[in-house]
Amino acid sequence: MNGYLNKIIPFSSVDGPGNRTAIFLQGCNFDCVYCHNPETINHCINCSFCVSFCPVEALSVNREKRRVLFNPALCVECDACTKKCHRNSTPKYKVQSADDIMKEIENYRPFIQGITVSGGECTLQAPFLIELFTKAKEIGLTCFIDTNGSTDLREHPELMALTDGIMLDIKVWDKETHRKYIKADNDMVLKNLDYLVDCGKLYEVRTVVIPKLFNNEETIREVSKRISGYNIRYKLIKYRHLGVRKNHLNMQTPTDDDMKNLESIAHNLGVLNTIIV
């Protein structure tokens, strides 16, 4: 079975416990206005518009097969191709098997505690995750998922049995705001929040804080009420002007005082395992 792979980061200390290999899959069903990785949202349609913008000619076109070809040996990671893409995609993603990925992970095995699969939205490729996690477990690695919570995790018992922990994004609590700025409902996200708390699989909740655009106080208050009393970490993330998505809404980075005030809401509701990044 093959999966759509965006990239692999060999060593990460921010994607679960310990040192981990972070695997980013291609494809997402959300369209967050502040997305820091918009090139992971859609699949490349081989329109070839990006090819002429590559300064090192790492991209070319196979006219016969009508496909954009990528040469990673020439790439300098300037992101010129993704910045010019009109579809929030990249010509650089790969189609790989679980064995392909495990072969690469073997190079890092002595230095990592496990793998974390993110995206895009990795649970859209649940059968592929099952195969990958099965193979990772065979060599003693723990398996974590970073998800937007859009797929019903209760319908994937085999995947959940293989998963050691989940990091869940709660972007905004208010449903209308979620629809407006995330371009999707959050009903399933909140159902998954309850499910993961109850089954003991929720390792961390993540909320990106954007002043004025979102009611951050409401989101942090409501999430804290649900996870209070459990050893679940709440990560509060400053919005930053990173990635390749243009900021059309004049979104601002919160101040340190803003973040500390929001953290105090969680603390006052009994959620003491917090981190600001």
Side-chain angles (χ1 to χ4, degrees):
M1 180 178 297
N2 290 328
Y4 293 94
L5 174 69
N6 180 277
K7 63 182 175 183
I8 294 177
I9 297 178
F11 306 114
S12 172
S13 60
V14 297
D15 291 294
N19 192 26
R20 313 184 68 77
T21 292
I23 302 163
F24 293 81
L25 300 187
Q26 186 75 18
C28 188
N29 53 350
F30 280 5
D31 189 10
C32 305
V33 69
Y34 61 87
C35 182
H36 291 110
N37 300 292
E39 74 280 3
T40 66
I41 295 175
N42 293 317
H43 293 275
C44 177
I45 59 171
N46 293 287
C47 70
S48 76
F49 180 77
C50 60
V51 173
S52 63
F53 295 98
C54 179
V56 294
E57 298 183 350
L59 300 176
S60 60
V61 180
N62 184 320
R63 300 295 179 185
E64 183 179 343
K65 295 184 178 180
R66 297 182 179 180
R67 295 192 62 82
V68 175
L69 305 179
F70 169 57
N71 185 344
L74 297 177
C75 182
V76 293
E77 300 294 343
C78 67
D79 288 333
C81 56
T82 57
K83 289 175 183 177
K84 293 297 181 180
C85 181
H86 300 303
R87 279 183 48 79
N88 294 319
S89 187
T90 174
K92 300 190 290 185
Y93 77 84
K94 307 172 185 177
V95 178
Q96 290 195 327
S97 69
D99 284 331
D100 292 331
I101 293 176
M102 291 305 301
K103 185 176 181 179
E104 180 169 345
I105 290 173
E106 287 176 5
N107 297 320
Y108 323 131
R109 176 64 189 92
F111 311 104
I112 61 173
Q113 283 71 53
I115 62 173
T116 297
V117 186
S118 184
E121 176 47 43
C122 63
T123 62
L124 298 176
Q125 302 183 53
F128 178 73
L129 288 185
I130 291 171
E131 183 174 346
L132 179 64
F133 282 8
T134 299
K135 294 179 181 297
K137 290 284 187 178
E138 290 173 354
I139 61 172
L141 295 174
T142 58
C143 299
F144 275 63
I145 288 174
D146 179 7
T147 177
N148 64 22
S150 60
T151 61
D152 192 346
L153 296 176
R154 292 169 297 185
E155 294 185 354
H156 298 285
E158 185 177 1
L159 176 60
M160 292 303 299
L162 291 164
T163 302
D164 296 289
I166 287 185
M167 290 166 285
L168 177 67
D169 294 334
I170 304 290
K171 301 173 186 301
V172 60
W173 194 268
D174 179 72
K175 297 181 186 299
E176 291 302 319
T177 305
H178 200 279
R179 291 191 193 100
K180 182 176 182 180
Y181 293 113
I182 312 302
K183 304 297 193 301
D185 290 331
N186 66 347
D187 291 340
M188 184 54 64
V189 180
L190 301 184
K191 289 178 181 178
N192 277 323
L193 173 63
D194 289 337
Y195 165 68
L196 293 170
V197 170
D198 293 340
C199 74
K201 292 282 187 176
L202 186 58
Y203 171 77
E204 178 180 275
V205 177
R206 298 176 169 185
T207 294
V208 176
V209 174
I210 308 178
K212 298 181 181 180
L213 191 69
F214 293 165
N215 186 339
N216 303 292
E217 293 84 357
E218 177 188 43
T219 300
I220 291 166
R221 182 171 58 252
E222 295 301 325
V223 170
S224 296
K225 288 178 183 177
R226 186 63 185 94
I227 67 176
S228 181
Y230 299 88
N231 187 30
I232 297 168
R233 184 163 71 175
Y234 200 174
K235 180 179 285 186
L236 307 180
I237 304 170
K238 284 185 176 185
Y239 166 76
R240 294 175 173 86
H241 303 289
L242 302 173
V244 297
R245 173 155 285 188
K246 292 182 179 179
N247 182 359
H248 295 295
L249 298 174
N250 193 31
M251 293 178 286
Q252 302 297 313
T253 298
T255 66
D256 290 342
D257 285 342
D258 290 336
M259 299 301 292
K260 289 177 181 177
N261 289 336
L262 293 170
E263 185 181 45
S264 70
I265 294 175
H267 287 179
N268 291 336
L269 289 167
V271 179
L272 304 180
N273 186 3
T274 59
I275 184 172
I276 295 174
V277 297

